[in-house]
Amino acid sequence: MAQVEKRGGLLRKSSASKKPLKEKVVLMYDEIFMTEDPSKCSPRFWEELFLMKVNLEYLEGKLESLDGEELMKIKDNINCLFQHCIQALGEEHPIRVVNALQTLCALIRGVHQKNKSTSGFDIINMLMGFDKAELCMKNLMESLDSLLCAEGSESLKSLCLKLLLCLVTVTDNISQNTILEYVMINSIFEAILQILSHPPSRREHGYDAVVLLALLVNYRKYESVNPYIVKLSIVDDEATLNGMGLVITQALSEYNRQYKDKEEEHQSGFFSALTNMVGSMFIADAHEKISVQTNEAILLALYEAVHLNRNFITVLAQSHPEMGLVTTPVSPTPTTPATPLGTTPPSSDVISSVELSLDADVQTSNLLITFLKYSSIVMQDTKDEHRLHSGKLCLIILTCIAEDQYANAFLHDDNMNFRVNLHRMPMRHRKKAADKNLPCRPLVCAVLDLMVEFIVTHMMKEFPMDLYVRCVQVVHKLLCYQKKCRVRLHYTWRELWSALINLLKFLMSNETVLLAKHNIFTLTLMIVNLFNMFITYGDTFLPTPSSYDELYYEIIRMHQSFDNLYCMVLRLSTNAGQWKEAASKVTHALVNIRAIVSHFTPKIESYAAVNHISQLSEEQVRSISTNVRRNLAFHTLSQEALLKEFSTIS
């Protein structure tokens, strides 16, 4: 008997003398693509169609092969197919429902794909017809809502979510997807929340549900009232919010795990041995090789949750109940989507067993820690477009957190200490920190560490100005909270000061190149104002008097950098160029720093001359600094007086 081989809807016999036979479903598709109504000759045509296994590849390919004019000729049949799909969703037989859902996916994708190359027809008209669109979409959304809320097959629920994700993502710009107007009117918000609040359904469908919600929230969010935004902003159900947080944590944690596995694999492999022999010249290449595809979809979900719902902030610091007993699966399924806004969910095995895996020396973990670790990975390499977008989104999320009063309360809580192992970019001039030496500290220390790490590792030709501005903004907002609440954080502030001064030096060294692309004075002013904040209000939040001494020492030690900056901005503020106003603001902002330098430097030089010392130690400078500061009449350093003194320079 001749063997039968199935290819693209064809049943091909091995004998070359016979013509290939087509599957029955393919023959039925061909009838739909005729101008005649297929049910004229076969009254049971639609009934039989949904008993046949769907051939998605053939159906989508057939739609793509037609030009716009040919597609318009069979519009009535496509409308009819769409309507019968919706009718089939109400059938009791699950096979019909499954086939109808898959057919709808193929139809929506196929017609949208055709519209990309051949504009001139309306998607809604082509799929449903203008006159029936409202009723069709109402029935479709009601059916999907019922299937998602029912206690039926989990596979059916999964298909419903896949169809909705297909519907939402067919256009590159979600706000141009006019079909979503009907999804706004016929809301499935409650169905999504039900999935997230119920542990079994969350384990199966939580990822798709969270991504779907994040995308729906972004439909014309700035143009009209989006009901999903309104509803998400007022959710206060603890089970739902915790469920959403758990899904996000699991996805981010799985990314972190994959990255760590690849990192360890490379460190123990041949490449590691080679770099040990040859040196670290290839260290950047090695780093790039262990990159894992980023997950912007889940970051978007986290951003919308933090940005829109104040109640979600509490979820960031909570340990989830599922964290009790943790086991690592034998062969975990990769969860990171293949595309930036992918919709591939973590497998149920991974969700139920792997997360939330804890560090060996950490007693507990939470969403914020997982997010900070994720951020420390994706923010390392901003040359990659996806990582650049991910890094930006991470910093926007951190800005939202740093602005929130409650979030700041637990970030700075000295009774909530954690050991957060952030990933650090491999660099030739520093050794990798040992994980076991990490201290337990309030979470704000990890946020500041992440900001310092970004500052010192991204001073490069393709300067990510936007990310730097956001980074400094996060630091500023945290300092504002510390000043306001008089929180004396035991943090190594010197690392931050040093990083900021080195950033200023970089901006000055690359003035010409950077000014051709960016207004570097926006960032420069922010950095100088951070120092002004430490100088003016440091006594309210710096941990010890010696911290103030370290600040003064760092400013005096690096006074040449501040002098050079002053010369640069003075030069540009006295010229009638485009940077005059921006540079002038920096000139005025430098008053405090220049006053400190002018008061302390003569004292230091005098001490060095009297004691025949060519170079003072840090301790000597600090002791001088302390004595001078104690005897200094601070009222003579008022900013108003100094501004008046410098106002004649223009």
Side-chain angles (χ1 to χ4, degrees):
M1 185 176 178
Q3 290 184 346
V4 176
E5 185 183 359
K6 183 178 177 182
R7 280 184 185 171
L10 303 179
L11 295 175
R12 186 183 299 279
K13 288 194 175 182
S14 57
S15 171
S17 61
K18 300 279 187 179
K19 285 187 176 181
L21 300 175
K22 289 186 176 182
E23 293 177 75
K24 184 172 181 182
V25 72
V26 169
L27 292 170
M28 296 182 84
Y29 290 156
D30 287 343
E31 288 187 55
I32 294 170
F33 282 90
M34 302 291 182
T35 52
E36 292 293 322
D37 180 357
S39 62
K40 275 188 178 178
C41 300
S42 308
R44 292 175 56 83
F45 178 87
W46 300 111
E47 217 174 305
E48 290 179 9
L49 178 66
F50 295 109
L51 290 173
M52 305 286 172
K53 185 180 177 182
V54 177
N55 190 323
L56 289 169
E57 185 184 354
Y58 185 85
L59 186 53
E60 284 190 53
K62 192 77 174 175
L63 285 165
E64 286 186 41
S65 67
L66 302 177
D67 61 33
E69 193 176 323
E70 290 171 325
L71 204 58
M72 282 302 295
K73 287 179 181 176
I74 59 165
K75 183 184 86 70
D76 291 343
N77 283 356
I78 291 175
N79 289 174
C80 207
L81 174 59
F82 197 91
Q83 289 160 24
H84 278 92
C85 284
I86 295 171
Q87 288 175 20
L89 295 181
E91 297 275 351
E92 290 185 11
H93 203 301
I95 290 294
R96 292 181 182 275
V97 180
V98 168
N99 289 333
L101 287 168
Q102 291 184 328
T103 305
L104 282 168
C105 283
L107 263 180
I108 292 165
R109 279 204 305 248
V111 171
H112 267 279
Q113 194 64 34
K114 174 50 57 185
N115 195 44
K116 283 183 181 179
S117 56
T118 313
S119 56
F121 62 84
D122 189 279
I123 300 295
I124 294 173
N125 189 37
M126 180 56 64
L127 287 173
M128 299 166 271
F130 289 129
D131 55 333
K132 297 173 184 172
E134 193 172 334
L135 182 59
C136 273
M137 286 303 296
K138 180 177 182 291
N139 292 336
L140 173 60
M141 297 305 294
E142 285 178 355
S143 295
L144 293 174
D145 187 73
S146 298
L147 290 167
L148 288 171
C149 294
E151 294 183 2
S153 162
E154 296 300 328
S155 298
L156 271 182
K157 290 182 182 181
S158 181
L159 263 178
C160 289
L161 288 168
K162 291 289 187 290
L163 172 59
L164 286 163
L165 284 166
C166 170
L167 192 66
V168 171
T169 59
V170 283
T171 56
D172 294 336
N173 183 344
I174 193 170
S175 294
Q176 293 176 352
N177 188 351
T178 50
I179 293 181
L180 291 188
E181 285 294 335
Y182 300 106
V183 183
M184 296 294 119
I185 296 167
N186 305 284
S187 174
I188 49 157
F189 183 82
E190 285 71 22
I192 294 173
L193 260 55
Q194 183 175 314
I195 289 170
L196 295 174
S197 62
H198 191 232
S201 65
R202 184 184 67 237
R203 282 194 287 270
E204 291 287 334
H205 318 295
Y207 184 89
D208 281 352
V210 163
V211 171
L212 176 63
L213 181 57
L215 292 171
L216 288 172
V217 161
N218 278 274
Y219 175 72
R220 296 186 177 176
K221 65 189 300 185
Y222 303 114
E223 301 168 29
S224 58
V225 177
N226 181 322
Y228 290 86
I229 292 178
V230 177
K231 291 180 178 181
L232 178 58
S233 66
I234 59 174
V235 173
D236 58 0
D237 179 66
E238 190 177 344
T240 303
L241 294 173
N242 285 341
M244 187 183 299
L246 182 61
V247 171
I248 295 169
T249 310
Q250 286 160 345
L252 295 179
S253 182
E254 177 60 15
Y255 174 95
N256 295 347
R257 186 194 62 77
Q258 286 182 31
Y259 183 89
K260 189 176 181 181
D261 288 349
K262 284 198 174 186
E263 189 178 43
E264 289 174 356
E265 182 184 318
H266 277 258
Q267 285 173 352
S268 61
F270 170 76
F271 192 89
S272 177
L274 182 65
T275 51
N276 287 336
M277 289 186 291
V278 178
S280 58
M281 64 177 74
F282 303 117
I283 201 162
D285 296 332
H287 171 67
E288 293 207 6
K289 286 184 180 179
I290 61 171
S291 64
V292 181
Q293 178 62 53
T294 54
N295 190 338
E296 281 92 340
I298 213 70
L299 277 185
L300 180 66
L302 176 57
Y303 165 71
E304 296 299 353
V306 170
H307 175 61
L308 292 174
N309 192 296
R310 290 294 305 278
N311 300 313
F312 188 81
I313 293 290
T314 62
V315 176
L316 293 172
Q318 285 181 2
S319 301
H320 294 277
E322 285 88 343
M323 290 175 59
L325 297 172
V326 179
T327 56
T328 304
V330 178
S331 54
T333 306
T335 69
T336 308
T339 55
L341 283 178
T343 55
T344 306
S347 71
S348 57
D349 290 340
V350 171
I351 286 182
S352 58
S353 63
V354 73
E355 186 57 7
L356 302 160
S357 55
L358 309 182
D359 289 349
D361 298 322
V362 178
Q363 298 303 309
T364 186
S365 186
N366 54 43
L367 172 51
L368 184 57
I369 291 174
T370 306
F371 169 66
L372 289 173
K373 290 180 181 178
Y374 178 92
S375 300
S376 71
I377 297 171
V378 300
M379 286 165 59
Q380 287 180 20
D381 179 20
T382 56
K383 292 177 184 176
D384 175 82
E385 186 180 0
H386 292 313
R387 281 172 176 258
L388 179 65
H389 292 319
S390 281
K392 183 175 180 179
L393 200 42
C394 286
L395 285 167
I396 292 172
I397 293 167
L398 280 171
T399 304
C400 292
I401 293 169
E403 286 175 340
D404 187 88
Q405 188 78 4
Y406 178 82
N408 267 302
F410 70 71
L411 279 175
H412 291 84
D413 191 341
D414 206 31
N415 296 313
M416 293 175 63
N417 293 326
F418 298 89
R419 187 175 287 116
V420 184
N421 181 22
L422 299 176
H423 290 263
R424 305 180 83 206
M425 187 182 289
M427 297 179 78
R428 295 184 186 91
H429 64 274
R430 67 178 183 186
K431 293 180 180 179
K432 185 171 181 178
D435 297 349
K436 292 181 181 178
N437 296 335
L438 291 170
C440 277
R441 303 174 299 172
L443 281 173
V444 67
C445 294
V447 179
L448 288 167
D449 282 349
L450 183 61
M451 299 301 97
V452 170
E453 175 68 10
F454 181 85
I455 290 170
V456 300
T457 56
H458 289 79
M459 292 179 237
M460 53 194 180
K461 187 178 178 182
E462 293 299 321
F463 189 71
M465 174 64 79
D466 187 27
L467 300 194
Y468 266 104
V469 168
R470 293 180 186 280
C471 179
V472 176
Q473 281 176 339
V474 169
V475 175
H476 180 257
K477 290 177 190 304
L478 295 174
L479 289 180
C480 286
Y481 177 83
Q482 291 167 25
K483 168 185 167 288
K484 178 184 175 183
C485 299
R486 294 182 174 267
V487 177
R488 296 191 181 277
L489 183 68
H490 289 274
Y491 182 73
T492 315
W493 291 111
R494 189 172 181 173
E495 290 184 5
L496 173 64
W497 301 329
S498 177
L500 292 171
I501 292 170
N502 284 328
L503 177 54
L504 285 176
K505 288 167 69 176
F506 174 82
L507 293 173
M508 287 185 283
S509 301
N510 297 273
E511 174 195 344
T512 307
V513 176
L514 292 175
L515 277 177
K517 299 178 182 177
H518 312 286
N519 176 4
I520 62 172
F521 300 109
T522 301
L523 180 58
T524 306
L525 181 62
M526 292 172 71
I527 296 168
V528 172
N529 281 338
L530 277 184
F531 278 102
N532 284 335
M533 202 167 178
F534 279 105
I535 293 165
T536 311
Y537 303 107
D539 60 326
T540 64
F541 62 83
L542 286 174
T544 61
S546 64
S547 302
Y548 231 127
D549 296 337
E550 287 181 359
L551 170 65
Y552 276 55
Y553 171 77
E554 200 65 24
I555 291 172
I556 296 163
R557 185 177 73 87
M558 301 300 294
H559 74 89
Q560 192 62 54
S561 297
F562 291 111
D563 290 344
N564 293 341
L565 176 62
Y566 181 75
C567 291
M568 183 184 91
V569 293
L570 187 63
R571 166 170 49 84
L572 289 165
S573 64
T574 53
N575 294 336
Q578 68 176 111
W579 306 116
K580 179 174 181 174
E581 187 178 347
S584 181
K585 289 179 181 177
V586 181
T587 307
H588 295 309
L590 280 166
V591 167
N592 281 344
I593 293 171
R594 285 177 54 75
I596 289 171
V597 171
S598 65
H599 274 272
F600 281 91
T601 303
K603 304 289 183 185
I604 293 169
E605 289 173 351
S606 173
Y607 182 95
V610 169
N611 293 278
H612 307 288
I613 300 170
S614 60
Q615 189 173 354
L616 269 66
S617 69
E618 180 181 343
E619 288 71 26
Q620 288 169 316
V621 173
R622 279 170 63 173
S623 66
I624 296 168
S625 167
T626 304
N627 290 331
V628 173
R629 181 162 53 83
R630 283 173 183 164
N631 299 314
L632 196 62
F634 273 97
H635 68 272
T636 63
L637 286 174
S638 68
Q639 192 164 358
E640 291 79 6
L642 287 163
L643 283 173
K644 187 176 180 181
E645 179 187 337
F646 284 97
S647 64
T648 56
I649 302 171
S650 59

